[in-house]
Amino acid sequence: MPFCMEFSGSCRQTAPWGENFDLEKFIIKGGRKLHGEVEISGAKNSVVAIIPAVILSDEPCVLENVPNISDVSISLRILYEMGANVIFTDKNTVRIDATGIKDPIVPYEMAKHMRASYYFLGTLLGKFGRARVSMPGGCYLGDRPIDQHLKAFTALGATCTIDHGMVDIQSENLYGTQIYFDMVTVGATINTMLAAVKATGMTVIENAAKEPHIVDLANFLNSMGADITGAGTDVIKIRGVKHLKGTTYAIIPDQIEAGTFMVAAAATGGDVLIKNVIPKHLESITAKLEKIGVNVEEFDESVRISVDGPLVKTSVKTMPHPGFPTDMQPQISTLLCLAEGTSIVTEGIFDNRFRYVDELRRMGADISVDGKVAVIEGVGHLMGAPVTAPDLRAGAALVIAGLAARGVTEVEDIYHIERGYENFEEKLRGLGADIVKKSVPGAAVRKTAI
Ligand code: EPU
């Protein structure tokens, strides 16, 4: 994926927001144990909230540890098209001056490539008192309504309508209020924080999501002068402020990228030091890996994964943080294919997050799925096969399967993986994996959002 070093003036960014482009695939010769050290990048799910949040600032902001992934390119492109000045000062540092944005509209053509573009609703509402953003479309993971986002905006005093596929939000004034979410939702918690940060008075979010990226967004907003307390617990209090200033802020390391490398190391029987992580964010993943028989050594900012015995069955249920993350479900399920015995994996967040199972079966996995429960019979080893990534995390899981499998695996539709993993194959090659990226001649795709 090309990387845009300079957005202002002539923009050299190309494919990520949906022009037709060549399809690419990974070709993996499996069976090599991963060894060495790998550095984890900034968190996707933080940065896709923090980039729109810059609009709230009355001054330019500098973001550090920004991962080079296509969801970042899309978010920055949206800002740029709206009138912001966006300049990369090095590969992972971007200076954004969003003070030139005057029109709070994100049309379908820009928003459709990334579900998280709905964060522009909260941030534009918070800044301008109105927002018009394309409604997020269908999703590979099942039904993903935004009713809780709209409920929160309405509680703050806005009027929300949906018209020709656009969410239209208007308010005379936003007033702090108490909001209780019907379920734990990351997206609605973030959108409420963005909308309420400049509202008049105090907003209290109850049953708030507690994911690390919620805390990261609160820290970012507080560094601009916001008054947010309680992020990381299930009650977040936001006292509205009049102005937010510029800041320089480093994005936290990606919990899910770290977890993915932890599982990749375990699946290949390797020995890998995973650097630039916050071990506390990895606790639920570490606990499950240890149950499976993987050694996990924790250091201040790194974890070492090694395997010196058999992998054994376990049960996993995905839950909101601090539970086991749904974004690690396909990866851990892949590992459990290689463990002795029968494992049960229950998806507790999304309706349809087992679409990769058919692909794993093509590699010799023995998995049966009934609704949100998968029963995985350990098969000892997987066999290389051509497979297709159905979404981001499932794509990463298929790469892990290919690394562990006997023979050659080709993973197609890797644009899903590039939404959320910076230099995935280069990092894996650095650990000794035999993985290359190849274009599929003549094939082109138009990307859709997830
Ligand atoms: N939900 C509703 N109504 C709402 C909002 C959510 O019914 O208004 C439901 C959803 O349908 C889902 C559950 O509540 O069943 C949780 O959804 P949540 O809002 O927490 O998810 P999200 O904000 O849409 C974020 C991540 C996902 C991650 C989930 C769960 C971002 C940009 N996306 O999605 O990340 O799986 O939280 O942790 O932060 C990924 O990175 O691969 C990914 C899909």
Side-chain angles (χ1 to χ4, degrees):
M1 186 189 71
F3 191 64
C4 184
M5 291 297 288
E6 196 166 318
F7 259 78
S8 57
S10 68
C11 178
R12 290 183 283 116
Q13 183 76 57
T14 54
W17 38 84
E19 297 90 349
N20 285 338
F21 65 100
D22 279 346
L23 269 182
E24 291 177 312
K25 63 181 173 185
F26 288 141
I27 301 176
I28 306 163
K29 286 194 189 120
R32 290 197 183 186
K33 295 183 176 196
L34 299 186
H35 275 281
E37 298 183 357
V38 63
E39 190 95 21
I40 295 306
S41 302
K44 170 184 91 82
N45 288 345
S46 279
V47 78
V48 297
I50 287 176
I51 289 173
V54 169
I55 292 175
L56 291 159
S57 172
D58 297 328
E59 294 167 349
C61 293
V62 175
L63 303 181
E64 299 170 340
N65 203 31
V66 173
N68 175 10
I69 54 177
S70 61
D71 271 10
V72 163
S73 311
I74 294 166
S75 308
L76 290 175
R77 176 64 182 245
I78 292 174
L79 281 184
Y80 173 76
E81 295 288 344
M82 291 176 82
N85 193 305
V86 179
I87 295 178
F88 277 92
T89 54
D90 71 38
K91 190 169 73 67
N92 297 107
T93 306
V94 62
R95 181 183 183 279
I96 305 170
D97 180 352
T99 54
I101 294 180
K102 303 287 176 234
D103 207 3
I105 299 177
V106 183
Y108 177 65
E109 276 310 314
M110 279 196 263
K112 70 178 177 185
H113 302 294
M114 191 182 67
R115 264 196 83 77
S117 54
Y118 57 37
Y119 291 145
F120 284 90
L121 280 172
T123 194
L124 291 170
L125 179 63
K127 174 81 173 191
F128 298 103
R130 61 200 170 90
R132 194 167 151 79
V133 179
S134 174
M135 177 88 177
C139 172
Y140 301 109
L141 310 181
D143 205 15
R144 286 173 83 178
I146 60 163
D147 55 303
Q148 300 299 302
H149 305 233
L150 302 183
K151 168 175 133 171
F153 298 146
T154 307
L156 288 165
T159 310
C160 308
T161 50
I162 296 171
D163 165 37
H164 282 86
M166 300 291 283
V167 184
D168 215 320
I169 310 185
Q170 306 275 346
S171 74
E172 288 291 316
N173 251 312
L174 294 173
Y175 291 101
T177 184
Q178 190 152 353
I179 295 158
Y180 188 95
F181 286 126
D182 297 350
M183 76 286 295
V184 177
T185 147
V186 170
T189 301
I190 287 178
N191 246 338
T192 308
M193 289 163 72
L194 294 169
V197 70
K198 294 180 80 178
T200 305
M202 167 92 91
T203 300
V204 180
I205 306 175
E206 292 190 73
N207 199 22
K210 299 186 278 240
E211 269 65 6
H213 32 291
I214 304 281
V215 180
D216 208 29
L217 175 67
N219 288 340
F220 170 70
L221 292 170
N222 283 343
S223 78
M224 295 201 297
D227 183 355
I228 301 176
T229 54
T233 75
D234 47 21
V235 181
I236 301 178
K237 294 186 177 163
I238 306 153
R239 194 181 295 279
V241 295
K242 283 222 166 349
H243 298 288
L244 291 171
K245 59 185 168 52
T247 185
T248 295
Y249 188 83
I251 309 295
I252 53 165
D254 196 303
Q255 173 204 29
I256 304 301
E257 187 197 8
T260 301
F261 277 96
M262 290 165 83
V263 171
T268 60
D271 185 342
V272 174
L273 185 69
I274 300 168
K275 293 163 64 173
N276 188 35
V277 301
I278 299 174
K280 177 99 189 127
H281 294 170
L282 303 174
E283 275 173 354
S284 62
I285 302 165
T286 298
K288 278 300 162 195
L289 287 178
E290 287 180 334
K291 268 238 149 130
I292 296 170
V294 178
N295 304 319
V296 184
E297 258 179 281
E298 280 185 17
F299 305 97
D300 285 350
E301 292 178 1
S302 58
V303 289
R304 181 181 164 201
I305 303 298
S306 61
V307 178
D308 55 17
L311 301 178
V312 292
K313 69 182 169 87
T314 194
S315 300
V316 178
K317 179 166 186 191
T318 67
M319 287 193 280
H321 191 79
F324 190 89
T326 174
D327 294 343
M328 282 299 300
Q329 184 259 97
Q331 301 90 314
I332 202 91
S333 298
T334 301
L335 182 64
L336 290 170
C337 291
L338 304 168
E340 289 172 4
T342 307
S343 300
I344 311 283
V345 175
T346 307
E347 173 54 46
I349 308 292
F350 292 111
D351 294 335
N352 189 17
R353 207 165 194 174
F354 285 117
R355 290 172 66 248
Y356 63 91
V357 161
D358 283 338
E359 302 298 307
L360 275 184
R361 283 198 195 110
R362 307 186 69 246
M363 300 179 70
D366 181 350
I367 308 179
S368 51
V369 177
D370 187 1
K372 292 165 92 172
V373 180
V375 178
I376 303 172
E377 300 290 349
V379 290
H381 69 269
L382 295 169
M383 295 165 299
V387 290
T388 302
D391 63 64
L392 166 61
R393 308 303 174 185
L398 291 170
V399 170
I400 293 172
L403 294 170
R406 295 178 185 167
V408 176
T409 296
E410 296 194 2
V411 182
E412 292 200 353
D413 286 4
I414 61 170
Y415 62 89
H416 287 298
I417 300 172
E418 294 182 339
R419 288 186 41 235
Y421 291 90
E422 180 174 48
N423 300 335
F424 196 39
E425 80 281 12
E426 283 168 36
K427 290 186 184 185
L428 287 168
R429 266 201 303 274
L431 295 172
D434 187 340
I435 175 169
V436 289
K437 183 154 72 173
K438 282 246 163 80
S439 307
V440 183
V445 70
R446 205 168 160 82
K447 286 188 184 181
T448 50
I450 180 168

